Amino acid sequence: MEFVMKSIGVIHSPFIDKNQTPVQPAFSNAVGQVEIFPEFAEGLQDLEGFSHIILFYVFHESKDFSLRVKPILDDKIHGLFATRYPYRPNPIGFSLVRLLEKEASALKIEGIDVLDGTPLLDIKPYVPDFDVVLNTRVGWYGTRIQNKSRTGPMQNRNEY
Amino acid sequence: MEFVMKSIGVIHSPFIDKNQTPVQPAFSNAVGQVEIFPEFAEGLQDLEGFSHIILFYVFHESKDFSLRVKPILDDKIHGLFATRYPYRPNPIGFSLVRLLEKEASALKIEGIDVLDGTPLLDIKPYVPDFDVVLNTRVGWYGTRIQNKSRTGPMQNRNEY
């Protein structure tokens, strides 16, 4: 079954090279701006009450995918769906970011980890009641040998 | 800009009526099954190491949207993007669920809150390092007057 998605805005970030974007928002203090197309701006009402929001977007430079990948945070190959590698059958990404400021049709955000010009698909509020589970097992991510030279704030995003 | 997404599987759940689905996975103990189309099954390798996963899917019964909505968990109108209401410009939903069991091309999951037959777009592992923020403000959700008759495990999903 096919579904057609249309961007509702654009994410502006300091990252113009995909080799220079952070692995995850949790590793980024970068400030960016979410531009919402004017016809959707009314939907932002009350978003300013939330300190954190979730952005859904397209990995627009992702052209193809492999079902087995070596994520940036490990040296072993894993199934694609056990990673956040950006090259996926449906290249949908999500980032949990801090909302710093809201204007009529723009949001200033902190902790952005995407390329400048990333097409925005949706915004949802982050609510710990729904979104937090603390007692988890995290598979290979928990047992990996940390490759410190490849982690840190200025590496490929979302590729763990 | 338009993007074509294709389902990679189907979510099977006990919910066949959208008025009977839970508001959020956090309110659901329902067990369901994620069926992955065989051509994508290889991508599930190592997913079993994770106790919790995030499902991305299409709200396939969502046909239209309004930019201002009254979510099921409140009596006031809010901007659509400050809610998880399922009728959205891009009807993408996500659910954090517990992974109970993995077979070759199927996952048994707990805490499902979607309609039976929901088209699956993506699966990602849940990792508290990336996905947990505890010190948050949650806007209208935090100050709402709880309408107990409308909450609970068997109400419309995702409509807070």
Side-chain angles (χ1 to χ4, degrees):
Chain A
M1 234 185 312
E2 287 193 352
F3 305 92
V4 178
M5 307 282 173
K6 291 182 191 181
S7 53
I8 62 163
V10 180
I11 307 175
H12 301 285
S13 87
F15 308 114
I16 55 171
D17 174 350
K18 58 186 166 180
N19 295 315
Q20 293 296 315
T21 58
V23 179
Q24 280 285 328
F27 298 159
S28 168
N29 293 317
V31 171
Q33 199 194 38
V34 181
E35 171 198 346
I36 315 291
F37 298 145
E39 63 267 37
F40 298 109
E42 193 184 358
L44 298 178
Q45 186 198 328
D46 301 326
L47 193 64
E48 66 276 8
F50 293 83
S51 60
H52 291 77
I53 60 176
I54 310 171
L55 306 177
F56 295 78
Y57 48 82
V58 178
F59 291 117
H60 61 301
E61 298 216 349
S62 165
K63 298 294 180 217
D64 207 348
F65 69 91
S66 164
L67 289 171
R68 301 181 74 238
V69 297
K70 190 161 74 172
I72 193 89
L73 294 183
D74 200 9
D75 289 327
K76 294 188 189 135
I77 287 176
H78 302 287
L80 177 63
F81 301 120
T83 78
R84 297 214 182 164
Y85 211 73
Y87 299 76
R88 314 179 75 85
N90 294 301
I92 299 174
F94 80 111
S95 294
L96 164 57
V97 298
R98 180 185 293 271
L99 177 58
L100 297 177
E101 211 177 298
K102 198 191 87 172
E103 290 169 23
S105 62
L107 307 173
K108 192 175 167 190
I109 53 168
E110 184 185 81
I112 189 60
D113 66 337
V114 304
L115 280 177
D116 187 46
T118 291
L120 180 73
L121 294 179
D122 199 8
I123 300 171
K124 302 185 202 280
Y126 182 79
V127 178
D129 272 6
F130 305 146
D131 299 325
V132 170
V133 179
L134 292 175
N135 190 12
T136 63
R137 275 182 299 110
V138 292
W140 66 262
Y141 177 79
T143 56
R144 77 194 188 284
I145 295 159
Q146 294 210 21
N147 188 335
K148 288 186 182 170
S149 68
R150 298 169 75 197
T151 61
M154 293 295 286
Q155 299 294 331
N156 285 7
R157 58 140 179 229
N158 272 307
E159 299 202 356
Y160 100 84
Chain B
M1 234 186 312
E2 285 194 354
F3 304 92
V4 178
M5 307 281 173
K6 290 182 191 179
S7 53
I8 61 163
V10 179
I11 307 175
H12 300 286
S13 86
F15 308 114
I16 54 170
D17 175 350
K18 57 186 166 181
N19 295 315
Q20 293 297 315
T21 57
V23 179
Q24 281 285 329
F27 298 158
S28 167
N29 293 317
V31 171
Q33 200 195 38
V34 180
E35 172 198 345
I36 316 290
F37 298 145
E39 63 267 36
F40 298 108
E42 194 184 358
L44 298 178
Q45 185 198 329
D46 301 327
L47 193 65
E48 65 278 7
F50 293 83
S51 60
H52 291 76
I53 60 176
I54 310 172
L55 306 176
F56 295 79
Y57 48 82
V58 178
F59 291 118
H60 60 301
E61 299 216 348
S62 165
K63 298 293 178 214
D64 207 351
F65 69 91
S66 164
L67 289 171
R68 300 180 75 239
V69 298
K70 190 160 75 172
I72 194 90
L73 293 183
D74 199 10
D75 289 327
K76 294 189 188 135
I77 287 176
H78 302 288
L80 177 62
F81 301 121
T83 77
R84 298 215 182 163
Y85 211 75
Y87 299 76
R88 314 179 75 84
N90 293 301
I92 300 174
F94 79 111
S95 295
L96 165 55
V97 298
R98 180 185 293 271
L99 177 58
L100 297 176
E101 210 176 299
K102 198 191 87 171
E103 289 169 22
S105 62
L107 307 172
K108 192 175 167 190
I109 53 168
E110 185 186 81
I112 189 62
D113 64 338
V114 304
L115 281 176
D116 188 45
T118 291
L120 180 72
L121 294 179
D122 199 7
I123 301 173
K124 300 186 203 280
Y126 181 79
V127 178
D129 273 5
F130 305 145
D131 300 325
V132 170
V133 179
L134 291 175
N135 189 13
T136 63
R137 278 181 297 108
V138 292
W140 66 261
Y141 178 78
T143 56
R144 77 195 189 282
I145 295 158
Q146 294 210 22
N147 187 336
K148 288 186 183 169
S149 68
R150 299 169 75 197
T151 62
M154 293 295 286
Q155 299 294 331
N156 285 7
R157 57 139 179 226
N158 271 307
E159 299 202 357
Y160 99 84

